[in-house]
Amino acid sequence: MIPDEDFITDENIPGPTKEEIRCMVICKSEVSPDDIVVDVGCGTGGLTVEFAKIAKKVYAIDRNPEALKLTEKNLKKHGVYEKVNLIEGDALQILDSELDKVSDTIPDFDILMIGGSSGDLTSIIKKGYKKLKNKGKVIVTSIMLETRVEAVKTLQTLDMIPEVVEISISKGRIVEKGTMMLARNPVTIVSAKKTLIY
Ligand code: SAH
């Protein structure tokens, strides 16, 4: 995993997702070199870069053009820019093939990563689910209590069985007296696999 400090950051753009959380997301996603990933709300590009290091192709969506510029910088810095398509716009519209022509450029995918949804989580999951391949995975990272509840309920309505993992990490800071442990905010990772029975 790339250390947090190796990402270019901007105080107005969230991210990067902390290293240990990125680690767990990549692990839970089971991303492989054949996979196509959609990263909704790419922010700083923390997760986009990590997915791009492994996957065949990543489609990174953000409605904030500044976030896309920052993600582009981080992709270039880490040598994976050519593996990523950056798409500016609202994830809901982009994933809605009936509403938006841009979505034609996104083929069916193996992983739907949602790191930002601004009130549209249920609809984004439902829209994304339609283009998610069988055995594909949905991953939602959340810092808000409500987001994780919404993710679990929505995945259940789609007959998926969500796994919910909350990660609380403390990191040691070396000070004069020794190593001081500093707690970070807990993050919840909700993940589920699409399993169609024919
Ligand atoms: N995972 C990122 C951080 C995500 S921050 C990283 O590791 O760097 C969440 C991002 O989601 C923000 O940049 C915000 O602009 C974006 N976002 C929120 N709702 C969105 C939506 N409906 N469509 C597209 N982008 C959205």
Side-chain angles (χ1 to χ4, degrees), residues 7 12-18 22 39-50 61-68 70-71 74 87-94 113-121 124 141:
F7 283 94
N12 297 315
I13 297 164
T17 303
K18 297 282 182 286
R22 276 183 274 125
D39 184 12
V40 171
C42 58
T44 300
L47 289 170
T48 319
V49 172
E50 299 291 359
I61 303 169
D62 208 295
R63 59 183 190 175
N64 178 359
E66 296 305 315
L68 289 170
L70 186 58
T71 295
N74 278 308
I87 305 171
E88 185 188 327
D90 190 87
L92 195 52
Q93 286 182 8
I94 287 162
M113 169 65 231
I114 306 174
S117 51
S118 50
D120 287 329
L121 182 62
I124 291 173
T141 53

Side-chain angles (χ1 to χ4, degrees), residues 58-165:
V58 181
Y59 294 85
I61 303 169
D62 208 295
R63 59 183 190 175
N64 178 359
E66 296 305 315
L68 289 170
K69 279 185 207 156
L70 186 58
T71 295
E72 181 174 335
K73 282 187 199 160
N74 278 308
L75 290 167
K76 285 181 175 161
K77 178 172 181 185
H78 297 285
V80 286
Y81 178 61
E82 72 289 349
K83 278 206 189 174
V84 179
N85 274 22
L86 296 167
I87 305 171
E88 185 188 327
D90 190 87
L92 195 52
Q93 286 182 8
I94 287 162
L95 289 170
D96 193 334
S97 43
E98 286 123 57
L99 277 181
D100 199 320
K101 291 211 164 54
V102 182
S103 62
D104 293 343
T105 61
I106 303 182
D108 286 357
F109 42 83
D110 302 277
I111 295 168
L112 175 64
M113 169 65 231
I114 306 174
S117 51
S118 50
D120 287 329
L121 182 62
T122 301
S123 316
I124 291 173
I125 293 176
K126 286 186 175 168
K127 286 277 177 264
Y129 180 86
K130 291 188 186 166
K131 299 192 89 174
L132 186 69
K133 292 185 200 166
N134 192 24
K135 305 257 191 291
K137 279 204 152 183
V138 179
I139 316 262
V140 181
T141 53
S142 83
I143 48 174
M144 303 297 286
L145 191 63
E146 291 77 8
T147 311
R148 58 197 73 166
V149 174
E150 190 177 344
V152 169
K153 285 187 176 165
T154 308
L155 292 166
Q156 283 171 332
T157 64
L158 294 166
D159 289 331
M160 295 172 102
I161 304 165
E163 182 199 39
V164 184
V165 177

Side-chain angles (χ1 to χ4, degrees), residues 32-45:
S32 81
D34 296 328
D35 285 349
I36 293 172
V37 179
V38 171
D39 184 12
V40 171
C42 58
T44 300

